[in-house]
Amino acid sequence: MDQEQRMLQETRAIWATAICFLLGAGIGTAVLWGNARPVAGDGSVGIPAAIIAGVIAAASFVVSTRLFRRGDHASMPRWQVVISSLSAVALTIAFAGVTALGVLLAGEVLGVGLQGLELPSVGGGIITGVASAIGGRLAFDSGIGLRTTDLANLMFGYLIIGTLFAMLTAADPRWWEHNFSQLGIGAGAWAFNGTLVVAGILAATVGSYIGRDLHRIRGDEDLGRIAWVVVLWAATGLALAGVGLFPLERILVLHNIASVSTLVLFVAAAVVTTMAIPGPPTTLVQTTVGTALLLVVAFVLADGFHLYSLTVLEVIVIGLGLLWLTTLVRILAVLTPATTRPSARGSLLRR
């Protein structure tokens, strides 16, 4: 890409940011018109602002994708177009969720620091416009050229934002004495459970992008192996979403099955993905083996010696999983060609 094209992209991104701000400010002012509202809590600016900013961010991603990636599907067979389109839909939902939760988290933090502050409709509209501009700009940039590394970072950020918001709004302030699933109980349970559902969608989409990268590296001759990688990541995402769809207080058995399945499927996806990469790279193999050993040690210390609580064990497991995934996507970023690779096979099931 030459300098002129990059400048054109930047100009369009600036215009997108300005348009998102104006839309957010205008719609926000209209929706919030009336009495002044607090920053957070019941009847606050937060929820309307989060919904408006989330919708605008999703729309910004769709517009950007159509502008900059319109020709990607031109030479692809139907099955490849379907997978790519499903990934785009999942990402649109994800950008809306990330933006909305980010606004809600910021509102809760500001509500603690600015207790008693109430915003008039215009002030609330401006806040909504700023949130829409930030979310819209990030989504627009992602539509220009989203890499697997960017998508993984998006998932990490979303998990952190969602979990922090769930902590701030938890019905039981001592949830940490039990496990993270306690955040999915009570009046504010939707925050944690919703985070897990969207995170599951993101995990499945990460798997789709990993499959895309592997196809660019290996080509059609390894589509069978690549398909298994994508299926395992999709199953991992489905299981993670199931943890949120089956809250602990309502469907305990299904909640526990989904939780265990998420861990087992993630490990299976990690192993199969590692073996699907040419080589496979020594760094990735070492990280995979080391992560597996550390997971075993963590379980033994928690269950056998009771050195720490289940919450601490969950933090260790999640941290190790994200560490491994970071290594994977960084290695893929080095190995994967930047150009799109249409498949020469008309069917995914038949040669």
Side-chain angles (χ1 to χ4, degrees):
M1 184 183 300
D2 58 28
Q3 186 179 31
E4 184 177 351
Q5 288 178 314
R6 290 198 297 269
M7 287 299 297
L8 177 61
Q9 287 184 358
E10 187 62 26
T11 301
R12 287 179 172 178
I14 292 172
W15 276 107
T17 305
I19 292 171
C20 288
F21 172 79
L22 293 174
L23 285 173
I27 297 172
T29 301
V31 170
L32 298 170
W33 193 260
N35 297 327
R37 301 191 185 202
V39 177
D42 296 335
S44 68
V45 173
I47 292 180
I51 294 173
I52 293 167
V55 171
I56 289 175
S60 179
F61 177 73
V62 172
V63 170
S64 177
T65 301
R66 289 189 175 276
L67 279 175
F68 295 103
R69 302 171 65 189
R70 187 185 309 166
D72 285 2
H73 296 166
S75 303
M76 291 182 179
R78 184 174 181 80
W79 65 266
Q80 200 173 11
V81 174
V82 169
I83 293 175
S84 179
S85 299
L86 288 175
S87 297
V89 171
L91 283 172
T92 304
I93 296 172
F95 277 112
V98 170
T99 303
L101 266 182
V103 174
L104 290 173
L105 176 61
E108 289 295 324
V109 174
L110 290 174
V112 174
L114 303 172
Q115 294 186 22
L117 174 65
E118 293 190 346
L119 294 172
S121 55
V122 175
I126 292 174
I127 293 294
T128 305
V130 171
S132 300
I134 295 172
R137 174 58 184 263
L138 293 175
F140 191 86
D141 287 342
S142 296
I144 294 174
L146 188 67
R147 301 173 302 169
T148 309
T149 308
D150 301 325
L151 185 54
N153 291 335
L154 177 67
M155 185 174 72
F156 301 163
Y158 180 73
L159 282 171
I160 292 170
I161 291 171
T163 304
L164 287 175
F165 179 72
M167 289 179 184
L168 290 174
T169 58
D172 180 10
R174 301 183 70 87
W175 63 269
W176 50 271
E177 294 180 348
H178 304 284
N179 51 58
F180 274 97
S181 293
Q182 299 298 315
L183 292 172
I185 296 175
W190 63 269
F192 182 71
N193 294 331
T195 295
L196 292 179
V197 172
V198 178
I201 295 174
L202 275 172
T205 310
V206 168
S208 175
Y209 270 68
I210 289 172
R212 182 201 67 175
D213 291 349
L214 289 173
H215 179 251
R216 289 182 180 181
I217 296 170
R218 304 196 68 115
D220 287 349
E221 61 271 14
D222 283 311
L223 273 178
R225 179 184 293 184
I226 295 170
W228 273 110
V229 171
V230 175
V231 167
L232 282 172
W233 280 106
T236 303
L238 181 63
L240 180 58
V243 179
L245 290 172
F246 306 123
L248 182 66
E249 63 179 344
R250 295 182 183 177
I251 315 175
L252 176 61
V253 175
L254 290 179
H255 179 87
N256 290 337
I257 290 174
S259 299
V260 174
S261 298
T262 301
L263 178 59
V264 172
L265 288 168
F266 179 83
V267 172
V271 172
V272 173
T273 303
T274 300
M275 300 309 297
I277 297 177
T282 304
T283 303
L284 183 59
V285 173
Q286 292 173 344
T287 303
T288 303
V289 173
T291 300
L293 291 176
L294 288 173
L295 284 173
V296 172
V297 172
F299 274 101
V300 170
L301 293 178
D303 188 55
F305 295 92
H306 305 288
L307 293 184
Y308 38 78
S309 66
L310 181 57
T311 304
V312 175
L313 176 61
E314 289 176 333
V315 171
I316 293 173
V317 171
I318 294 170
L320 289 173
L322 294 181
L323 173 65
W324 177 86
L325 187 56
T326 299
T327 304
L328 169 69
V329 295
R330 286 183 178 277
I331 288 174
L332 282 175
V334 174
L335 298 176
T336 304
T339 55
T340 301
R341 183 170 189 170
S343 173
R345 288 173 55 173
S347 171
L348 182 61
L349 301 177
R350 300 189 304 271
R351 289 186 180 275

